[in-house]
């Protein structure tokens, strides 16, 4: 018994249906993909923009990130300079240990130089109190490493005499992994240098 042949028109209709189904499915997939990319892009860069000083457009989220970085950089520098320079005979070891976590080998080298010069021995011998009065920093956060300059005013109490000094320090900041509680800001001071020190006044 012979197998009956299918109607050629039925076969063509079936083929056309399959082709149309595949084409429509591909178009729908492309549309969904484009919509998802657009949505992801909007979520990434945000819906608001600001104009930079050079005329370029910057996403508001990026501006917010820079503002946060600036705040953290200033806080990191204030914390470090407080630990490193606000010292007396009772707390200098503890404070310096905390300060060393906030900087790299350049900070450690300065600490060792001060130790070799007898700075901390004099602190113990004469019961000196070195107290930080103010810390003002400027940080360029446009490109990493972030260049900074800090003005620290501190006084040294020698009992009946108190001398006040202004110290200018410079260096760079780089991003590192956060380490709570030793380095909560995730920044590290590099190329640290005491560029100038001057006595402001003598108080008798």
């Amino acid at each position: 018994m012979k197998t009956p042949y299918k109607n050629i028109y039925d076969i063509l209709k079936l083929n056309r249906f399959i082709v149309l189904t595949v084409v429509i499915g591909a178009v729908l997939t492309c549309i969904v993909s484009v919509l998802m990319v657009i949505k992801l892009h909007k979520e990434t860069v945000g819906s608001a923009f600001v104009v930079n000083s050079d005329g370029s457009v910057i996403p508001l989220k990026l501006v917010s990130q820079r503002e946060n970085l600036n705040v953290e950089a200033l806080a990191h520098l204030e914390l470090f300079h407080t630990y490193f320079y606000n010292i007396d005979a009772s707390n200098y070891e503890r404070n310096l240990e905390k300060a060393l976590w906030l900087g790299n080998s350049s900070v450690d080298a300065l600490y060792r130089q001060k130790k070799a010069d007898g700075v901390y021995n004099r602190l113990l011998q004469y019961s000196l109190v070195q107290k930080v009065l103010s810390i003002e920093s400027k940080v360029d956060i446009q490109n990493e490493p972030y260049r900074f300059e800090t003005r620290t005013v501190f006084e040294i109490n020698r009992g009946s005499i108190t001398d006040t000094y202004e110290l200018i320090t410079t260096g760079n900041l780089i991003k590192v992994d956060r380490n709570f509680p030793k380095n909560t800001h995730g920044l590290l001071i590099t190329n640290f240098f005491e560029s100038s020190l001057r006595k402001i006044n003598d108080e008798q």
Side-chain angles (χ1 to χ4, degrees):
M1 183 176 178
K2 293 184 179 180
T3 303
Y5 290 102
K6 292 184 179 181
N7 190 307
I8 188 66
Y9 294 107
D10 292 338
I11 296 175
L12 291 175
K13 286 180 181 180
L14 179 61
N15 288 342
R16 184 169 58 182
F17 174 78
I18 294 173
V19 171
L20 287 175
T21 302
V22 172
V23 171
I24 292 172
V27 171
L28 290 175
T29 301
C30 291
I31 292 174
V32 171
S33 299
V34 170
L35 292 175
M36 290 182 65
V37 169
I38 293 174
K39 181 181 178 182
L40 180 61
H41 178 71
K42 287 183 177 180
E43 291 176 350
T44 302
V45 302
S47 57
F49 296 85
V50 295
V51 179
N52 198 8
S53 58
D54 60 0
S56 59
V57 177
I58 304 177
L60 192 58
K61 285 187 178 180
L62 179 58
V63 174
S64 178
Q65 288 173 0
R66 287 184 177 178
E67 289 176 350
N68 292 339
L69 174 60
N70 187 61
V71 170
E72 293 216 53
L74 294 176
H76 186 86
L77 291 170
E78 181 171 354
L79 189 63
F80 167 77
H81 285 81
T82 299
Y83 283 147
F84 203 73
Y85 296 106
N86 197 87
I87 55 177
D88 57 40
S90 64
N91 69 9
Y92 84 96
E93 288 185 332
R94 181 174 63 256
N95 280 9
L96 290 174
E97 181 182 356
K98 292 178 180 179
L100 291 175
W101 276 96
L102 307 179
N104 73 344
S105 58
S106 62
V107 174
D108 183 65
L110 179 60
Y111 159 71
R112 292 179 183 277
Q113 182 62 47
K114 287 178 177 288
K115 188 174 182 180
D117 292 341
V119 172
Y120 306 119
N121 284 337
R122 288 193 293 274
L123 195 75
L124 294 172
Q125 184 178 356
Y126 300 107
S127 298
L128 303 179
V129 177
Q130 184 169 296
K131 181 180 179 181
V132 171
L133 302 178
S134 66
I135 300 171
E136 299 175 1
S137 298
K138 297 178 181 178
V139 186
D140 181 2
I141 59 172
Q142 296 301 315
N143 297 296
E144 189 176 356
Y146 311 114
R147 180 75 177 168
F148 73 83
E149 180 180 288
T150 300
R151 175 181 179 269
T152 304
V153 177
F154 63 90
E155 62 181 19
I156 299 180
N157 189 312
R158 297 179 173 87
S160 60
I161 300 175
T162 300
D163 296 326
T164 305
Y165 297 88
E166 177 193 69
L167 173 67
I168 304 297
T169 55
T170 59
N172 298 324
L173 287 170
I174 61 173
K175 291 181 180 180
V176 295
D177 291 336
R178 296 178 188 268
N179 184 335
F180 183 83
K182 295 176 178 177
N183 189 336
T184 56
H185 297 107
L187 296 168
L188 193 71
I189 295 172
T190 65
N191 300 323
F192 187 66
F193 181 67
E194 294 181 342
S195 60
S196 68
L197 175 67
R198 70 181 182 92
K199 185 183 291 186
I200 296 178
N201 67 342
D202 267 333
E203 296 179 6
Q204 300 292 338

